Amino acid sequence: MSCGTSGSVAEAGMPDDVKDMIHNHPCYSEGAHHHYARIHVAVAPACNIQCNYCNRKYDCSNESRPGVTSERLTPEDAAKKVLFVGGEVQRMSVLGIAGPGDALANPEKTFDTFKMVREKAPDLKLCLSTNGLELPKYVDEMVKYDIDHVTVTINSVDTTGEIGSKIYPWIFYNNKRYYGKEAAQILLERQLEGMKMLVEKGILIKANSVLIPGVNEKHLPEVAKKLKEIGVFLHNIMPIISEPEYGTKFAIDGVPSATPQEQMEVQEACGMDMKIMAHCRQCRADAVGLIGEDRGAEFTKDVFSTMTFDALEDHYNVEARQDAHAKIEEFRFFLDKANEKVQKEKGELSSTSETILVAVTTAGEGMINQHFGSVKEFLIYEAGDKGIKFIQHRKITTEYCAGPDGGNPIDEVIDVLKDVKLILTAKIGGCPQEDLKAAGLTAIQEYAFQPIEASVLKAAQTYFDVDKAVEVN
Ligand code: CLF
Ligand code: SF4
């Protein structure tokens, strides 16, 4: 399949048991990420390798945007937090352990947490992210706790260790430190062995690859080929975030952050072999909420740590959660109906091979329901006269309405969306609309509170002057 995992077309042909596994996982199903939330608990501080894109003062770059250091939790506090948040945020469907170091470099803390949560919150999916060095050792443990989604970060499949040695200066394995090519070779062997074991056990694997300009961008299609051969489910190309203030080895050496355009090119190349995840937000090791939103600050330790487990289980309330999920599914059913005429496969987007990029502002639920002035990110779709495909999200540092003193906040938006033609938004003021128009971007409000996918297609068809535009319900 080409890039994107959205909706029924992308899931067509999948076995029913796999469809069921991903249906409400916000990372494995692009459709689910508009509706279901994840929680990460930061119980795993240590790491057993060094990546040159990571500064250990910050969260793990495998799954987490480098940011302020997370609040570390004991397994008991982590389980309490999951129960508390699960009661508050009923759309939460997944618990992930993704650092701030490596989940399997902290096996006791990781599996103690999963064990407690599995007992007390049986409806929750369990998910784990790792660099893969210790993966073969813990596959049976994962089966024991019903952890059925595992992410492995794999940046190279070069068996000589040449590329890997540029990314990993050392690993710590079997009580010994290994350096350079030997370290990279051991890591790769362990990753491949572990992933094969996971496939045998029926555990779904997502592979993350950090796109590092000048180091592995040309090699990543080889990685995708290998992943396909092994039976990995999904490939997530994560652009390296390499700002000097993070103090990583790559940033100090002048390796730049990867641009959205570079990410799109690599996604396209890797998408020849693998299903590509395009909606990842490189979230923190203590993230809470819908992907792209971070409600972590609402749920600090003082809120839940003094509550008893009995009280927390009542608060979690499995039955109320099931009712809430049933309502979400009802809403998804009607949303899918509204979007069902939308073709999403890359090869069928256009009858003339001409496509445009369309930006959308959304606060979730698959609708165009956010005002232009309050967005911090845009969803980007590629659209032709026949179909549309979700490509990526793009962030801006400051919302337009809270723009920087002494400058026009529209400048950043125009820069971030320079290759985009249309912006579909719930509301926009006259000033920004004029500024966007002068830069060649058309902002459209007529699809406010309409389903995203059908609206993007209709707007593209109007742009291409096609008279058979789809109905937007
Ligand atoms: Fe967390 Fe990762 Fe599980 Fe998702 S995140 S452990 S698979 S529940 Fe998701 Fe966040 Fe991207 Fe990770 S958006 S960084 S892919
Ligand atoms: Fe950092 Fe994660 Fe790499 Fe460990 S695996 S060095 S925590 S990015």
Side-chain angles (χ1 to χ4, degrees), residues 47 49-51 53-54 56 60-62 100-102 131:
C47 194
I49 70 174
Q50 179 63 53
C51 306
Y53 47 73
C54 176
R56 300 293 307 286
C60 173
S61 310
N62 278 342
D102 187 80
N131 58 43

Side-chain angles (χ1 to χ4, degrees), residues 111 184 329 463:
F111 289 111
E329 287 307 314
Y463 177 88

Side-chain angles (χ1 to χ4, degrees), residues 48 104-105 107 111 132-142 173-175 190 193-194 197:
N48 45 10
L104 298 181
F111 289 111
L133 183 63
E134 293 297 351
L135 190 50
K137 200 164 152 187
Y138 293 110
V139 170
D140 288 340
E141 198 83 348
M142 290 178 198
Y173 176 60
N174 276 349
N175 297 316
R190 299 285 290 170
E193 185 190 344
M197 291 169 72

Side-chain angles (χ1 to χ4, degrees), residues 40 42 53-54 58-68 70 97-101 129 153 208 238 241 246 280-287:
H40 285 172
Y53 47 73
C54 176
Y58 296 93
D59 289 341
C60 173
S61 310
N62 278 342
E63 284 278 322
S64 317
R65 170 173 43 84
V68 288
S70 321
I97 297 186
S129 169
T153 298
N208 283 351
M238 305 175 92
I241 304 171
Y246 296 147
C280 175
R281 305 296 203 281
Q282 292 170 265
C283 41
R284 296 165 49 94
D286 55 2

Side-chain angles (χ1 to χ4, degrees), residues 106-121:
N106 304 261
E108 277 184 29
K109 290 175 183 154
T110 294
F111 289 111
D112 282 355
T113 306
F114 281 134
K115 183 169 184 277
M116 277 186 264
V117 171
R118 179 41 76 234
E119 280 167 12
K120 298 175 194 307

